[in-house]
Amino acid sequence: MMILKTPEELAIMDRANALLHETLRLVASAAKPGVSTKELDRIAEEHICSRGGKPAFLGYRGYPATLCTSANDVIVHGIPSPSQLLREGDILGVDCGVILDGFVGDAAVTLAIGEVPAEAARLMRVTKECLDLAVDFVRPGQRLTDIGETIQAHAEGAGFSVVRELVGHGIGRAMHEDPQVFNYGPGGRGPELRPGLVLAIEPMVNAGKAGVSFDDDGWTARTEDGKLSAHFEYSVAVTENGPWVLGVGGR
Ligand code: MF3
Ligand code: CO
């Protein structure tokens, strides 16, 4: 069941996501060679709590941290660790969730640690472009799977592949609401988008093949072929006037 939000509720979700993006910027400025992923997690947790928010991932189905920190071949859900130090040339997915006044914000970026190889930078750029292209489809009357078709076309057009096993989602008072937001087509299917629906859109793009393997920790998802993967995510509201990327200004 899709839950539509009132304008007042969307305003709260915008504030939750604003705190989240502020947190991601803090983490980005601290993410340098030699810093541990646990230190980034500590910075995020402290900032969210200092502003009256709550980390949404911490304790979710037993997840042990505020951030997911996913380096290089890790696609998503990497667990921060004091023994994992960032290295020059790494790419690091940072995914964060914030609960504020009863609503959840969910967003992610992939960061370059120092100078990264050109192909890694291209993977990051194309994945962000996939998200930005997808956002344009978040408008009334558009069909749900048009989002995934756009993401797949752009990623594969660049010679990359999209992950099938993990998807985006509706979001509101719960982190995961209907509908599932696939990162692949075909388009023209699924429900029509309606004002008040909020979608967490999160393309996961692999440099090599699309296959995923899961670590024994039950969380860490990595590429089967060991090649790089990138991930970007926004929480986006459908409005009469088109997409509203929550927490980053705009419409
Ligand atoms: N953005 C991810 C998701 O929507 C983050 C969840 S991590 C978890 O599924 F630990 F909270 F599950
Ligand atoms: Co999400």
Side-chain angles (χ1 to χ4, degrees), residues 34-106:
V35 173
S36 77
T37 50
K38 181 68 192 175
E39 172 64 7
L40 300 181
D41 194 69
R42 190 195 61 72
I43 289 168
E45 178 172 357
E46 191 178 292
H47 186 68
I48 292 165
C49 294
S50 78
R51 296 295 190 275
K54 256 181 52 185
F57 297 174
L58 188 63
Y60 179 86
R61 296 185 178 203
Y63 187 76
T66 292
L67 299 178
C68 298
T69 49
S70 305
N72 301 324
D73 64 317
V74 177
I75 302 166
V76 288
H77 301 169
I79 300 173
S81 158
S83 63
Q84 184 188 26
L85 306 185
L86 298 175
R87 290 176 312 188
E88 176 90 17
D90 284 346
I91 65 170
L92 182 75
V94 180
D95 193 349
C96 186
V98 168
I99 305 172
L100 194 66
D101 294 340
F103 285 86
V104 186
D106 188 5

Side-chain angles (χ1 to χ4, degrees), residues 72-75 91 119-120 122-124 126-127 152 154-165 204-213 222-230:
N72 301 324
D73 64 317
V74 177
I75 302 166
I91 65 170
E119 191 62 1
R122 191 173 76 90
L123 176 68
M124 293 172 58
V126 167
T127 308
Q152 181 182 16
H154 190 63
E156 292 182 357
F160 301 138
S161 60
V162 296
V163 169
R164 305 294 199 278
E165 285 85 347
M204 289 153 261
V205 178
N206 293 355
K209 298 211 170 73
V212 179
S213 78
R222 58 177 85 234
T223 60
E224 229 164 34
D225 62 11
K227 298 198 172 154
L228 298 178
S229 186

Side-chain angles (χ1 to χ4, degrees), residues 3-24:
I3 303 169
L4 303 180
K5 282 80 190 174
T6 66
E8 293 72 25
E9 291 172 331
L10 292 182
I12 296 171
M13 292 189 74
D14 187 45
R15 285 196 292 109
N17 281 281
L19 173 54
L20 196 167
H21 282 280
E22 192 176 88
T23 304
L24 289 177

Side-chain angles (χ1 to χ4, degrees), residues 106 169 202 233:
D106 188 5
H169 47 95
E202 44 183 323
E233 178 177 19

